[in-house]
Amino acid sequence: MLRLTRFSLLGRRSPVARVPAKNLGLRKAASGSSPSGSASPRALNIFDRELKRKQKNWAARQPEPMKFDYLKDEVGSRIADRVYDIPRNFPLALDVGCGRGYIAQHLNKETVGKFFQADIAENALNTLEMEIPTVSVLADEEFLPFRENTFDLVVSSLSLHWVNDLPRALQQIHYVLKPDGVFIGAMFGGDTLYELRCSLQLAETEREGGFSPHISPFTAVNDLGHLLGRAGFNTLTVDTDEIQVNYPGMFELMEDLQGMGESNCAWNRKALLHRDTMLAAAAVYGEMYRNEDGSIPATYQIYYMIGWKYHDSQARPAERGSATVSFGELGKINNLMSQGKKSQ
């Protein structure tokens, strides 16, 4: 687990060219259509996507948006590390839900030739400075306006937890990848902000006789591999990590979440909390979780995922029953090795 203390990250913006879809040679995706032309019949409508766009635009317009970048910058660097772990170059890459360019700033032009950055919020496309040639595209994560087999690499960092139809979003990513292309992503896990969730629930129950959800629902790690497989990916890797950030208090935590554009946008959210309830939640938070130095911790659980699009050149598992050595014989090998060491 990585532990951080709230800090300001200074960064410089560079002008980015916004290119309309008609100039990119992109396919047109009608709202609600899947790569095969039919919408997901069981798609849920949990989040107000228009509100999320407004939240991200508001956060990007703040005088110093870089001081809220610390978490997304950290996760973006970890995704970049996973890209570097793959010994190949990627002529054309796509960042789904790019924000201000948290992944691209950690990559170099020797690894990625050209980088397309897509986000639902137009103001968020004012990216950080980077050396890779970039093209910014205003697009929804669920409706990517690109042709099939376009990109060698697709990445996504802390964006997919806000989509209503995650299976469809993963299918879209698989659709735009070339054969033998790879998807590397990260999203918040179910234990994210459990301290804040618990404190709000206890305070609201005590002051108002019940509680409403104030932290958005997250995907379970057990479901993530299944969703990737259903979307068509193979050779899957899913792992989890935690980043713990210390804040002066609960209100500073909530201020930073707003500055990140991560405020709750679920349709069933409560419009407001009473002042007494908020003060009680802050007291509960401090009483239950306070560090020795007086700060409070906030835990962010991160799911990292890697999936490949099928190609004939990829390694395949051996057929069932083709093994020439049984697991029972492995014990004999260990015995022979131990006897050899004793004889020496």
Side-chain angles (χ1 to χ4, degrees):
M1 176 193 295
L2 177 69
R3 287 181 172 85
L4 302 173
T5 300
R6 183 175 181 255
F7 63 95
S8 296
L9 177 67
L10 299 179
R12 293 176 293 170
R13 296 191 193 182
S14 59
V16 176
R18 288 187 180 84
V19 182
K22 64 181 180 180
N23 294 334
L24 296 174
L26 312 176
R27 70 183 177 91
K28 294 182 178 180
S31 177
S33 65
S34 67
S36 60
S38 60
S40 176
R42 297 183 181 179
L44 300 176
N45 189 18
I46 301 172
F47 303 114
D48 183 346
R49 294 286 291 168
E50 178 59 22
L51 176 61
K52 177 50 58 183
R53 184 186 70 82
K54 292 178 179 178
Q55 290 174 350
K56 295 182 73 172
N57 276 329
W58 179 89
R61 288 196 303 267
Q62 296 312 294
E64 295 181 296
M66 67 286 297
K67 77 176 184 177
F68 304 109
D69 286 347
Y70 53 90
L71 180 64
K72 294 186 177 182
D73 182 59
E74 174 65 29
V75 176
S77 70
R78 297 186 183 193
I79 292 180
D81 288 342
R82 286 163 168 79
V83 174
Y84 287 129
D85 287 340
I86 301 173
R88 67 164 67 174
N89 299 325
F90 302 96
L92 201 59
L94 168 68
D95 186 353
V96 178
C98 63
R100 297 191 335 112
Y102 303 107
I103 301 175
Q105 65 173 333
H106 297 287
L107 297 173
N108 56 48
K109 56 187 177 183
E110 286 74 28
T111 303
V112 175
K114 191 172 185 179
F115 211 65
F116 280 70
Q117 299 193 107
D119 200 279
I120 194 174
E122 58 273 15
N123 292 331
L125 290 171
N126 290 325
T127 60
L128 301 167
E129 186 173 337
M130 59 200 70
E131 65 175 84
I132 305 173
T134 61
V135 177
S136 294
V137 181
L138 188 63
D140 194 316
E141 293 93 333
E142 296 182 36
F143 310 108
L144 298 179
F146 303 102
R147 291 197 181 109
E148 186 177 10
N149 303 331
T150 299
F151 296 100
D152 306 280
L153 167 71
V154 176
V155 294
S156 180
S157 179
L158 302 184
S159 174
L160 294 177
H161 59 283
W162 289 122
V163 302
N164 281 309
D165 193 349
L166 183 57
R168 183 193 182 350
L170 293 174
Q171 289 170 5
Q172 288 272 307
I173 292 171
H174 183 270
Y175 181 83
V176 302
L177 270 175
K178 294 179 181 178
D180 202 33
V182 62
F183 166 59
I184 304 176
M187 61 189 299
F188 285 122
D191 288 338
T192 295
L193 298 177
Y194 72 86
E195 304 97 339
L196 179 61
R197 182 188 296 113
C198 182
S199 301
L200 288 171
Q201 288 178 354
L202 289 174
E204 196 172 9
T205 300
E206 190 270 329
R207 294 301 172 98
E208 303 181 27
F211 65 87
S212 301
H214 298 285
I215 309 295
S216 66
F218 297 109
T219 303
V221 67
N222 297 335
D223 297 330
L224 199 51
H226 173 68
L227 292 174
L228 288 166
R230 239 177 69 184
F233 291 101
N234 57 42
T235 319
L236 306 177
T237 302
V238 178
D239 62 283
T240 68
D241 195 6
E242 288 185 354
I243 299 176
Q244 191 178 90
V245 184
N246 295 323
Y247 296 88
M250 188 190 79
F251 296 107
E252 287 80 6
L253 163 60
M254 297 179 74
E255 177 189 358
D256 278 21
L257 291 174
Q258 187 178 26
M260 296 176 196
E262 293 295 330
S263 299
N264 190 5
C265 69
W267 285 108
N268 65 346
R269 69 191 181 280
K270 192 173 182 178
L272 56 87
L273 275 172
H274 294 99
R275 181 174 180 273
D276 289 346
T277 303
M278 294 290 288
L279 293 174
V284 171
Y285 204 133
E287 185 66 27
M288 293 181 63
Y289 303 107
R290 184 183 293 114
N291 298 316
E292 292 182 359
D293 62 359
S295 63
I296 61 166
T299 301
Y300 300 92
Q301 185 182 40
I302 313 295
Y303 297 156
Y304 296 95
M305 65 200 100
I306 301 176
W308 295 79
K309 189 168 183 177
Y310 176 78
H311 188 266
D312 290 338
S313 64
Q314 294 173 349
R316 301 189 190 93
E319 294 183 8
R320 186 179 179 87
S322 62
T324 57
V325 179
S326 68
F327 281 107
E329 294 177 350
L330 294 178
K332 298 179 182 179
I333 296 175
N334 291 332
N335 291 334
L336 291 173
M337 291 178 65
S338 60
Q339 290 176 3
K341 290 180 180 179
K342 290 179 181 179
S343 63
Q344 293 176 358

